[in-house]
């Protein structure tokens, strides 16, 4: 899944200490996710970071395997661990330990705009799900025209920040482009929403078909 774990290892401690930037939008997202989870569901979270979301969702699923390819992020998640329902594992989407057809739900929040080979990653998510399983994601769509000058400047600055190790890979795409990727990977979209609206952090629930 062509991401640089060293960048995320370096920022893991600082990342763990940061408060949620938009608590209302975060809680709204959790509410929508919970509405789709069932007590017996076997759930996989990709890019779990320091594990807060998996732990919040733990009471609503049978089990959650929360993964991140960064050892630093998983180390911070292990500090928080306190639910028998959640297991943390250093892994990425293509790790061979994740078996095809093993999960009822696969989740990825604020992840897929950071993945270079995103189309292959979404196909892999499709393979990991049981038929009829759900892919639930939330991803900032930074190429929407309404974002204006601020994000145009950010787009120009990111390559320089990447060159000095201060930024990861970031994809700038529109809501329509993200939805099209999901459909091409073999999913039917059943719900969308933008939490927050600016920049649009696009929430999608899609069903394996």
């Amino acid at each position: 899944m062509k991401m640089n774990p060293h960048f995320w290892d370096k920022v893991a401690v600082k990342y763990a200490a940061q408060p949620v930037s938009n608590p209302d939008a975060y809680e709204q997202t959790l509410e929508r996710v919970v509405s789709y989870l069932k007590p017996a569901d076997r759930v996989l979270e990709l890019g779990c970071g320091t594990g807060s979301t998996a732990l919040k969702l733990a009471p609503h699923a049978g089990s959650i395997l929360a993964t991140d390819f960064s050892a630093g992020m998983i180390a911070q998640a292990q500090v928080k661990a306190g639910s028998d329902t959640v297991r943390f594992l250093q892994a990425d989407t293509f790790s061979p330990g994740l078996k095809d057809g093993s999960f009822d739900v696969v989740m990825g929040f604020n992840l897929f705009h950071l993945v270079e080979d995103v189309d292959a990653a979404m196909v892999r998510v499709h393979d990991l799900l049981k038929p009829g399983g759900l892919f639930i994601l939330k991803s900032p769509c930074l190429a929407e025209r309404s974002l204006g000058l601020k994000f145009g400047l950010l787009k120009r600055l990111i390559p320089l920040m990447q060159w000095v190790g201060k930024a990861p890979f970031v994809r700038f795409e529109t809501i329509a482009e993200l939805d099209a990727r999901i459909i091409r990977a073999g999913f039917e979209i059943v719900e969308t929403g933008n939490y927050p609206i600016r920049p649009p952090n696009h929430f999608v629930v899609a069903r394996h078909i």
Side-chain angles (χ1 to χ4, degrees):
M1 185 163 63
K2 292 187 181 178
M3 295 171 67
N4 181 359
H6 304 297
F7 172 84
W8 297 103
D9 288 345
K10 288 189 296 184
V11 303
V13 173
K14 182 178 179 180
Y15 184 89
Q18 289 177 339
V20 175
S21 60
N22 190 328
D24 290 341
Y26 181 63
E27 291 300 325
Q28 191 173 11
T29 300
L30 291 178
E31 180 181 318
R32 295 310 307 141
V33 175
V34 167
S35 74
Y36 284 97
L37 297 181
K38 300 180 180 64
D41 277 349
R42 187 177 182 196
V43 179
L44 171 67
E45 184 181 8
L46 300 168
C48 72
T50 59
S52 297
T53 297
L55 292 169
K56 284 181 176 291
L57 294 173
H60 306 282
S63 66
I64 299 179
L65 176 59
T67 66
D68 200 285
F69 79 142
S70 163
M73 290 291 184
I74 291 297
Q76 293 300 310
Q78 295 286 11
V79 172
K80 300 179 184 179
S83 170
D84 293 337
T85 308
V86 179
R87 180 166 68 96
F88 293 109
L89 177 69
Q90 184 184 359
D92 68 24
T93 308
F94 297 101
S95 293
L98 303 178
K99 301 302 182 184
D100 288 357
S102 295
F103 299 97
D104 301 289
V105 179
V106 175
M107 310 183 301
F109 304 115
N110 298 307
L111 170 67
F112 288 97
H113 69 301
L114 304 173
V115 177
E116 293 185 54
D117 50 350
V118 65
D119 291 314
M122 288 188 176
V123 169
R124 171 64 167 152
V125 169
H126 188 272
D127 291 342
L128 290 169
L129 282 165
K130 297 176 182 178
L134 296 178
F135 179 25
I136 304 178
L137 68 150
K138 185 177 178 182
S139 187
C141 292
L142 299 174
E144 287 294 316
R145 292 184 179 181
S146 62
L147 296 179
L149 181 63
K150 176 182 177 182
F151 286 90
L153 179 61
L154 177 64
K155 186 175 183 179
R156 290 192 291 272
L157 285 175
I158 280 181
L160 176 61
M161 295 169 67
Q162 291 169 335
W163 188 71
V164 298
K166 297 296 184 181
F169 169 84
V170 179
R171 173 175 295 96
F172 284 73
E173 69 181 348
T174 65
I175 290 170
E177 288 168 341
L178 176 58
D179 286 349
R181 288 184 192 279
I182 295 166
I183 291 168
R184 285 198 303 270
F187 294 97
E188 172 191 21
I189 293 177
V190 298
E191 180 183 340
T192 63
N194 297 321
Y195 316 127
I197 295 173
R198 253 181 99 79
N201 208 340
H202 194 48
F203 175 78
V204 181
V205 180
R207 182 176 290 112
H208 176 293
I209 56 174

